[in-house]
Amino acid sequence: MVRSKRALITGITGQDGSYLAEFLLTKGYQVFGLTRRTSTMNFERIEKIIEKIELVQGDLIDQGSLDAAIKEIQPDEVYNLAAQSFVPTSWNQPVLTGEVTALGVTRVLEAIRKVKPDTKFYQASSSEMFGKVRQVPQNEGTPFYPRSPYGVSKVYGHWITVNYRESYNLFAVSGILFNHESPRRGLEFVTRKISYEIARIKMGLSERLVLGNLDAKRDWGYAPDYVEAMWLMLQQDKPEDYVIATGETHSVREFVQLAFAVVGISNWQNYVERDPRFMRPAEVEMLVGDASKAKKKLGWQPKTSFQELVQIMVEADLKRLENN
């Protein structure tokens, strides 16, 4: 009897981890998730599949726990999605961000190299690595110029993945994913903050939406579309890095306007307040990705439009508030 493929996901309780786990289950995988020991476990995003997956304790800061997890699970694929992933926090906690988001990648790669070198490895790289962009749109060959401790840490994680691939012949790839959102996004992220507050305004629970830079532009996609690209990268004959993006750019202002339109509010300016506290020390003004390599080699393209994404998020938050 052929054993089903085994995948280990770090960061399984996050937005991407939860969608990826669901996706891999539909592909017949045995799914394992690495979770840190905390006094209160946050399993909200994976509660519907918790019976179908296996959770293993471990931490990207602790090499021994990673070695043990790889030895115990013997995974065919490892998806490293765990990180200190909120950009503003990376200025307040730059050393922690480096420990987890940068060196954590090396520890996972080391565990694979020592324990099970035929494991395929996926690293979650980020469009934040481009930062102060050197060309528009950004592709796999665009030079990096990160503008936050988070972006700098992701650049390290990206290059150490390339280094292990070339030094030890590991099947290790980086997916340079541009912003991807969903109703499972944390409330600290601007898109979810917008959808949640607007739902609260619509229901009379709030009067203001307080934001920073309305002119920042991003390439926003839908997270479930993007986790499929991660999987596709590990199904290829040879390991390569790919940009995953929609190729469209929209401002925070556009996101706000569309989100208010979903709840039927046209005079949205009356509800929005700008607060300099939410401005970044070094802003990333414009990110837009060129995913033509992924389209050509992986056959991947986004299925969900920007308008659909905004609508999905606002409606999910309305429903969530109604149920509560």
Side-chain angles (χ1 to χ4, degrees):
M1 187 177 147
V2 181
R3 86 165 171 95
S4 51
K5 272 191 177 179
R6 294 175 168 223
L8 170 63
I9 303 170
T10 73
I12 196 167
T13 58
Q15 170 188 261
D16 292 7
S18 62
Y19 283 121
L20 178 63
E22 288 171 8
F23 176 80
L24 293 176
L25 287 170
T26 68
K27 295 281 179 193
Y29 279 68
Q30 235 182 312
V31 177
F32 298 81
L34 193 79
T35 57
R36 274 182 309 153
R37 167 81 187 94
T38 54
S39 54
T40 53
M41 295 304 242
N42 178 16
F43 292 151
E44 185 194 347
R45 295 183 182 96
I46 54 169
E47 62 188 358
K48 287 183 181 151
I49 56 166
I50 198 108
E51 302 297 321
K52 299 174 183 169
I53 60 178
E54 211 169 306
L55 298 177
V56 179
Q57 279 193 1
D59 197 312
L60 258 58
I61 290 176
D62 182 52
Q63 185 69 56
S65 67
L66 298 173
D67 294 354
I70 300 293
K71 190 176 177 184
E72 181 192 333
I73 296 162
Q74 294 288 308
D76 300 288
E77 298 170 1
V78 170
Y79 295 85
N80 184 40
L81 311 184
Q84 189 303 97
S85 61
F86 188 47
V87 176
T89 297
S90 75
W91 274 288
N92 302 332
Q93 300 183 21
V95 177
L96 175 76
T97 302
E99 273 291 349
V100 178
T101 309
L103 289 174
V105 186
T106 313
R107 294 187 189 103
V108 180
L109 285 163
E110 265 297 280
I112 290 170
R113 182 185 74 80
K114 290 186 296 189
V115 181
K116 194 176 182 291
D118 64 340
T119 299
K120 292 183 172 185
F121 174 78
Y122 171 86
Q123 165 59 13
S125 285
S126 164
S127 59
E128 286 285 335
M129 302 189 306
F130 296 120
K132 193 173 181 177
V133 299
R134 315 318 284 160
Q135 68 184 60
V136 178
Q138 296 89 51
N139 62 29
E140 294 79 7
T142 304
F144 301 135
Y145 194 141
R147 299 270 279 169
S148 65
Y150 170 77
V152 173
S153 300
K154 280 291 186 185
V155 170
Y156 176 93
H158 180 86
W159 282 118
I160 201 71
T161 302
V162 173
N163 189 262
Y164 269 65
R165 176 168 75 217
E166 294 176 353
S167 303
Y168 302 114
N169 203 26
L170 296 184
F171 194 112
V173 305
S174 278
I176 306 171
L177 270 56
F178 279 66
N179 293 59
H180 46 289
E181 317 298 317
S182 76
R184 295 184 193 173
R185 211 26 153 165
L187 283 168
E188 69 272 27
F189 290 87
V190 68
T191 50
R192 182 70 203 294
K193 182 182 181 180
I194 293 166
S195 65
Y196 182 69
E197 278 306 317
I198 288 175
R200 292 186 75 232
I201 288 166
K202 176 65 178 172
M203 296 184 78
L205 302 170
S206 174
E207 293 173 356
R208 322 267 333 126
L209 169 61
V210 185
L211 296 168
N213 184 6
L214 294 178
D215 298 314
K217 291 182 174 175
R218 293 290 183 272
D219 182 328
W220 276 303
Y222 185 41
D225 294 350
Y226 283 44
V227 298
E228 182 181 6
M230 300 175 185
W231 174 76
L232 284 167
M233 286 177 218
L234 295 192
Q235 312 315 309
Q236 303 307 302
D237 293 332
K238 66 175 198 181
E240 291 183 64
D241 304 326
Y242 294 86
V243 161
I244 303 297
T246 68
E248 286 181 21
T249 180
H250 298 277
S251 66
V252 174
R253 183 178 276 102
E254 278 179 82
F255 199 108
V256 170
Q257 205 171 343
L258 272 173
F260 270 110
V262 173
V263 298
I265 296 174
S266 56
N267 60 335
W268 61 271
Q269 293 94 335
N270 298 353
Y271 298 91
V272 177
E273 196 177 298
R274 295 180 77 168
D275 188 330
R277 283 181 310 145
F278 295 117
M279 304 293 267
R280 294 182 179 188
E283 182 56 90
V284 173
E285 296 295 345
M286 162 129 170
L287 292 172
V288 57
D290 171 11
S292 48
K293 179 183 173 183
K295 189 175 179 181
K296 186 179 165 200
K297 290 198 167 185
L298 305 178
W300 179 87
Q301 51 190 4
K303 301 181 179 84
T304 311
S305 72
F306 177 65
Q307 288 77 4
E308 287 167 332
L309 165 69
V310 176
Q311 189 169 349
I312 288 166
M313 290 184 69
V314 175
E315 287 176 354
D317 274 325
L318 279 170
K319 195 173 171 186
R320 202 176 260 145
L321 288 167
E322 282 162 8
N323 291 344
N324 288 347

